[in-house]
């Protein structure tokens, strides 16, 4: 329920386009899961009901991947923003999907490591 689900037109339109040239194609609803378990439950429900699922990070994509051309439910993963594990020994980090490049670099400050611009996977 609210504030973790929205069917408001403005919210759906915000989640129905990215930085690409493709026209807006809003989902039928937007949800903000906050854990892997919630994502699993939502995905299972959508699967059972044959409802399309559209993942949404920051909306900075250039390919139209967030456009819900068949409607469905947008999974806005921005609230899943924990940095779970950092290994300085092997230069690896485990993050939730809502972690941005800026947040990761802030976390890495002082370690001698950084996540460079242009690497695929993390939004601004």
């Amino acid at each position: 329920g609210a504030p973790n689900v929205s069917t408001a037109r403005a919210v759906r339109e915000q989640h129905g386009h990215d930085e690409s040239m493709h026209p807006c194609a809003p989902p039928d609803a937007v949800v903000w899961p906050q854990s892997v378990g919630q994502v699993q439950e939502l995905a299972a429900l959508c699967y059972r009901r044959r409802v399309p699922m559209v993942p949404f990070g920051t909306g900075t994509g250039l390919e139209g991947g967030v456009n819900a051309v068949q409607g469905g439910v947008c999974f806005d993963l921005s609230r899943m923003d924990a940095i779970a594990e950092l290994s300085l020994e092997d230069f690896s980090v485990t993050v939730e999907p809502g972690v941005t490049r800026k947040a990761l670099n802030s976390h890495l400050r002082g370690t001698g490591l950084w996540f460079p611009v242009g690497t695929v996977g993390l939004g601004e």
Side-chain angles (χ1 to χ4, degrees):
N4 300 312
V5 178
S6 179
T7 57
R9 181 181 182 134
V11 173
R12 293 184 305 111
E13 287 179 354
Q14 174 190 2
H15 288 80
H17 67 89
D18 55 17
E19 299 296 323
S20 72
M21 63 179 182
H22 301 288
C24 182
D28 299 312
V30 178
V31 296
W32 286 268
Q34 297 177 38
S35 70
V36 171
Q38 287 180 349
V39 171
Q40 291 170 329
E41 288 181 44
L42 290 164
L45 178 61
C46 287
Y47 177 78
R48 283 194 307 272
R49 303 285 180 153
R50 301 185 55 84
V51 173
M53 297 171 273
V54 181
F56 186 93
T58 59
T60 59
L62 300 173
E63 299 83 21
V66 299
N67 293 48
V69 294
Q70 296 180 356
V73 176
C74 173
F75 288 43
D76 183 326
L77 303 170
S78 62
R79 294 183 186 168
M80 294 180 65
D81 60 355
I83 298 172
E85 185 178 345
L86 171 62
S87 173
L88 298 175
E89 294 77 34
D90 64 6
F91 305 110
S92 68
V93 62
T94 303
V95 301
E96 290 185 342
V99 174
T100 65
R101 177 187 54 83
K102 290 179 182 178
L104 179 56
N105 281 330
S106 178
H107 183 81
L108 294 174
R109 189 173 295 126
T111 67
L113 302 175
W114 80 98
F115 191 79
V117 175
T119 303
V120 177
L122 297 179
E124 294 301 314

